[in-house]
Amino acid sequence: MKPILRNIILFLIILLTIGGVLSMVNLESEKPAEVGVVEFIGMLNSGEIKSVEAVNSQLNIKKTDGKKLVVFKEANETLGDLLKNYGADAEKLKTVAVTVKHEKGLGAWLWDIIPFVLPFLFVGLFIYFMMRQMQGANIRAMSFGQVNAREATKGEKITFKDVAGVKEAKEELKEVVEFLKSPKKFVALGAKIPKGVLLMGAPGTGKTLLARAVAGEANVPFFHISGSEFVEMFVGVGAARVRDLFNKAKKNTPCIVFIDEIDAVGRQRGAGLGGGHDEREQTLNQILVEMDGFDPNAGLIVIAATNRPDVLDPALLRPGRFDRRVILDEPDINDREEIMKIHARNKPFSKDVSLRKVAERTPGFTGADLANLMNEAAILAARRNKKNIGMDELMESIEKVMLGPERRSHLLSEEERKVTAYHEAGHALVARETPHVDKVQKVSIVARGRAAGYTLKLPIEEKRLRAKSEFLADIAVALGGFAAEKEIFGENTTGASNDLKVATRMARDLVMQYGMSEALGPRTFGERNELIFLGREIAEEKDYSEKIAEKIDEEVSKIINNALRQAQNVVRRNKEQLEKIVKVLLDKETIEQEEFEALFK
């Protein structure tokens, strides 16, 4: 409807413009007075006429005083006959400039007919453009089944050199590149080219980047599309687009088809929602058929990416469909350093910058997080009018990526500022005095994101496994702020609400998922199933009785209460140290690791 409305407005504007121009052409500044033939002859005989111009049946008269007149005569009567018939004085006529003009017949005819034809012309043009719009809508309706797969251009070529970390994943995909470059070598030995490769990993680990690197290394066409682009409001459109995508790919073999976020259409079937004609099921069925149907040695490889492999249909994961599953883990400290080196290629850094130190401060960061960190550091340096990016900008960007930007304009009252200082000092003190806890790197009461203050702890070394003692220590640290508020002020504030939520979740996971409860034994409780097609709604299937549920609640409460007593004991034993931390926080607002450790010496 928008293009049609735009055309209607355009026609109205054109019509008004032409009408205004025509009215201006026809409008005369001084309209000459009309007189009769007898009066004109009288003026002529009395010597008042200076010139006469004859144009068809009209006489344009100009008097000696400059006044203009108009006289109309019969169309078939000449000017000479008119003057003779009305007895014009021949002597006086000799002093008058007489000119005769004849308008061309076609021009006069057009001038007469245009006012009648112009409205019909505009109506015809309006109907014509309306029909074109309707025809275009019909064409678009018939093109629903065509997929909008984009082909990566040569100017965007990315290779494995542009992807740091994920060494094992790159090794797996190098074989795919070899298949595409020289398929005959493998076919001669009876090996079949893999039909599909599934990239699995957390968001930001580089799945899409790695797929583009495969296309760049193999130097083959690379079609990329999102899984959600298959699904439309009309049933069957997704399946038609899948057929169109594979037809395009077959014409450009050898090539790679990359389907990002395949879980949008590849979720488990048979949920009982949407009936037998559910659009996602139709689309998934067509993908399965196409992957079974094309020639295994045609050089067409499908690469798909997802961060939810647990919800994919088993038929997608069986051998013959996605033959290879490549897992992309979060980068370790060495990988993080290499990733930052790639993103630092076009950025000027100060001599004191150590990317290794930045890598040590960023455990758990993905490749996308590190790219964002480097970009934020560059923006911060530009905002400070610096020519180089320094270590201060990098360290501040770490906290910005983790917690959000500083909110120094978020002013607290003196009482709230004091409560926040004791709260964060409680976290830091319990973390310092409790074994199996990561070292405190920074304590601050400057608001960041939604937090009024924060205590930053970072591990000394990379960890993949966690023990029960570490869980219990982290729960105690989470309750350190709660314990400090209760000890100093005799009551708690709402500032500890998120800490309580974190502590409860850790205690419940310890009991229900990791089997670390001595009272309930080494088993898990409950299975979490995601309801397909209902977004992120989770349904927990209870595989335990109500009696066990009571014991779970008792065990969770016991763990939290023990951790709270532990945190309270640390705060009571080290009140002097607590006051030192609070004093520095109220004075400087931020304490770095070296200054924090110096307070305990």
Side-chain angles (χ1 to χ4, degrees), residues 225-264:
I225 187 172
S226 171
S228 61
E229 293 183 50
F230 290 113
V231 182
E232 284 282 352
M233 65 182 292
F234 301 108
V235 175
V237 172
R241 288 184 174 179
V242 171
R243 289 190 293 269
D244 184 59
L245 172 64
F246 279 92
N247 287 334
K248 284 182 180 179
K250 289 173 187 176
K251 294 176 183 177
N252 292 277
T253 54
C255 71
I256 291 175
V257 174
F258 176 59
I259 305 175
D260 200 6
E261 304 295 346
I262 193 173
D263 51 277

Side-chain angles (χ1 to χ4, degrees), residues 354-533:
S354 171
L355 294 180
R356 184 70 180 185
K357 289 184 179 179
V358 179
E360 292 173 355
R361 295 285 292 264
T362 53
F365 275 46
T366 63
D369 293 329
L370 294 170
N372 188 27
L373 186 155
M374 302 296 280
N375 186 57
E376 290 290 347
I379 293 173
L380 190 58
R383 193 185 302 162
R384 294 173 177 174
N385 297 320
K386 289 186 174 182
K387 294 183 178 180
N388 296 315
I389 302 171
M391 203 68 182
D392 292 339
E393 286 77 29
L394 287 169
M395 289 302 179
E396 189 168 339
S397 297
I398 293 173
E399 296 172 22
K400 186 174 182 180
V401 173
M402 291 176 64
L403 304 168
E406 277 190 355
R407 296 191 299 154
R408 291 192 176 270
S409 61
H410 183 66
L411 299 177
L412 300 173
S413 66
E414 195 61 34
E415 183 64 24
E416 289 179 334
R417 194 164 174 267
K418 187 176 180 182
V419 171
T420 303
Y422 275 103
H423 183 98
E424 297 304 328
H427 284 305
L429 180 63
V430 176
R432 171 68 172 71
E433 298 297 322
T434 303
H436 311 296
V437 177
D438 300 327
K439 281 193 173 183
V440 176
Q441 298 288 336
K442 187 175 183 178
V443 188
S444 176
I445 58 171
V446 177
R448 273 191 181 273
R450 302 181 65 180
Y454 58 94
T455 301
L456 190 61
K457 301 187 287 84
L458 294 175
I460 301 174
E461 57 185 11
E462 301 287 331
K463 292 182 180 180
R464 299 290 181 183
L465 303 175
R466 298 189 68 188
K468 180 180 178 181
S469 57
E470 294 174 343
F471 272 110
L472 297 176
D474 284 340
I475 294 172
V477 173
L479 297 173
F482 184 92
E485 287 185 22
K486 186 73 173 177
E487 183 67 25
I488 300 300
F489 301 101
E491 60 179 355
N492 292 102
T493 65
T494 56
S497 59
N498 188 63
D499 297 333
L500 297 176
K501 188 184 298 183
V502 171
T504 303
R505 186 174 65 246
M506 281 194 291
R508 189 165 288 275
D509 288 344
L510 191 146
V511 173
M512 299 184 67
Q513 290 190 32
Y514 305 127
M516 294 181 177
S517 169
E518 295 179 1
L520 296 172
R523 61 159 291 189
T524 61
F525 300 92
E527 290 191 14
R528 293 162 63 86
N529 297 318
E530 183 171 346
L531 294 180
I532 305 171
F533 308 127

Side-chain angles (χ1 to χ4, degrees), residues 561-579:
N561 290 330
N562 289 339
L564 179 59
R565 280 194 294 271
Q566 181 182 347
Q568 288 173 335
N569 291 334
V570 171
V571 170
R572 288 166 185 164
R573 287 198 310 267
N574 299 274
K575 262 193 178 180
E576 184 180 348
Q577 300 297 335
L578 181 70
E579 295 294 342

Side-chain angles (χ1 to χ4, degrees), residues 2-14:
K2 288 185 179 180
I4 296 176
L5 183 61
R6 186 170 60 247
N7 287 335
I8 292 174
I9 295 173
L10 181 62
F11 280 131
L12 290 174
I13 293 173
I14 294 173

